Amino acid sequence: MWNTVNEQISQAMHFDFKHTIKRQLQSPNSDKLFQLSDGIHQYFVKVAHRSDLERFENEAHNLQLLTKESLFMVPDCITTGANIEFSFIVLEWLELDQQPHTNWHIMGSHLASLHLKHRQAMFGFDQDNFIGPTTQPNRWHKKWNIFFAEERIGWQLQLLHEKGIDLVDKDYFVALIKDMLHSHTVKPSLLHGDFWRGNMGFIQSVPSVFDPSCYYGDREVDIAMSELFAPLPDAFYIAYNKHYPLTQGYEQRKLIYQLYPILNHANIFAGHYLTEAKQQIELLLK
């Protein structure tokens, strides 16, 4: 496989690349991560099963879109490819600054700048993509409440149902989510889609994001996600609200939006995430 990777990097970069250093990195999921270098040029390589090529191609497209539309430092995709057994994506190597960092206010203003662009009239995306390893459906909808209830919550509940797990009556709960979001006025914004601390950092003090799951939706989804697993420093939220203040009712909607990544983790990892998902659903049913 590594000969194929070297060849495709060479073709993409227009010079003969042969790695002399291959260092495996820690991975938060089933992808295998590597730092590849010839002593001069460095690349970040993700490797997965052959069937994951579409996921890597989606990631490349999402990164390109964020590069075009945002102020963030986004890694360039050098190439994607596969052999009989494996698929891979090769990204620009970005050396993240050491934490803690003092520029979280810039991260907040950059996200607000992205969200303030309302160039789509509908909610969704041109293609389905992935959040982690899970397929993320993105059929276009005119109404946000229908999109989020069906394409996000309903989809995740259906995936659990197919595993024999029913946390709630799916049809009833999807209808409830539609009703809870019905009166919320939303303009579609391009979302990172998986905006948590593990998918961001700083490159020489410039805010950087990666591992996106882009679609056009309610900007509050990114904010809610940022508060879920490891809330960002206050400076981030103060700066975001200065440029694009959150509207009344966000704290209630946050519970709905955070349910989506919790359900996704329940589908991927099961365990305590199933308990957390059940608790979140019970809060919304009250």
Side-chain angles (χ1 to χ4, degrees), residues 244-283:
Y244 198 177
L246 295 172
T247 58
Q248 186 176 1
Y250 163 71
E251 290 298 325
Q252 290 72 41
R253 292 186 294 274
K254 178 171 71 174
L255 296 176
I256 300 172
Y257 296 155
Q258 289 181 340
L259 177 59
Y260 176 58
I262 293 172
L263 286 171
N264 188 50
H265 276 62
N267 264 301
I268 299 168
F269 304 112
H272 71 89
Y273 289 111
L274 286 169
T275 303
E276 191 174 346
K278 182 67 173 176
Q279 292 171 344
Q280 193 87 339
I281 288 169
E282 288 173 353
L283 279 175

Side-chain angles (χ1 to χ4, degrees), residues 16 78 111 136 179 259 262 268:
D16 187 27
I78 307 303
L111 186 65
Q136 180 170 262
D179 185 62
L259 177 59
I262 293 172
I268 299 168

Side-chain angles (χ1 to χ4, degrees), residues 189-206:
S189 298
L190 179 61
L191 307 182
H192 177 282
D194 198 4
F195 193 77
W196 72 288
R197 192 186 284 257
N199 288 341
M200 64 185 77
F202 296 88
I203 313 294
Q204 296 181 9
S205 298
V206 177

Side-chain angles (χ1 to χ4, degrees), residues 27-206:
S27 174
N29 51 46
S30 60
D31 291 346
K32 293 182 179 179
L33 309 181
F34 298 89
Q35 179 185 13
L36 215 62
S37 174
D38 63 356
I40 301 174
H41 310 92
Q42 296 188 83
Y43 301 101
F44 179 72
V45 184
K46 296 184 186 181
V47 178
H49 191 270
R50 175 69 174 80
S51 61
D52 286 286
L53 178 59
E54 181 185 3
R55 174 165 62 88
F56 288 153
E57 290 173 342
N58 283 157
E59 180 179 352
H61 174 67
N62 288 183
L63 289 169
Q64 184 180 39
L65 184 60
L66 283 177
T67 298
K68 177 182 176 183
E69 296 292 342
S70 80
L71 299 172
F72 292 113
M73 177 79 74
V74 180
D76 290 335
C77 176
I78 307 303
T79 186
T80 61
N83 64 6
I84 295 174
E85 188 175 359
F86 298 104
S87 63
F88 57 87
I89 182 171
V90 180
L91 302 175
E92 174 187 11
W93 178 267
L94 297 179
E95 194 74 43
L96 293 176
D97 298 347
Q98 293 296 309
Q99 299 288 359
H101 214 282
T102 59
N103 279 12
W104 285 101
H105 63 289
I106 305 178
M107 183 78 75
S109 64
H110 279 14
L111 186 65
S113 176
L114 175 65
H115 287 169
L116 277 163
K117 296 179 179 180
H118 302 295
R119 294 177 177 169
Q120 283 288 345
M122 297 176 67
F123 303 97
F125 205 54
D126 284 336
Q127 60 200 31
D128 294 344
N129 51 20
F130 296 82
I131 180 162
T134 310
T135 299
Q136 180 170 262
N138 290 317
R139 287 179 299 171
W140 291 104
H141 287 263
K142 292 181 180 179
K143 296 183 178 180
W144 168 247
N145 64 323
I146 295 176
F147 174 89
F148 196 80
E150 294 183 358
E151 306 292 319
R152 294 295 177 262
I153 302 302
W155 171 253
Q156 290 286 341
L157 291 175
Q158 178 62 31
L159 292 177
L160 285 170
H161 173 73
E162 291 170 5
K163 296 172 183 175
I165 302 169
D166 290 300
L167 301 178
V168 67
D169 181 282
K170 180 174 77 72
D171 292 338
Y172 172 80
F173 194 69
V174 166
L176 176 66
I177 296 299
K178 288 179 184 178
D179 185 62
M180 294 176 77
L181 293 175
H182 177 71
S183 61
H184 178 43
T185 302
V186 183
K187 293 181 179 180
S189 298
L190 179 61
L191 307 182
H192 177 282
D194 198 4
F195 193 77
W196 72 288
R197 192 186 284 257
N199 288 341
M200 64 185 77
F202 296 88
I203 313 294
Q204 296 181 9
S205 298
V206 177

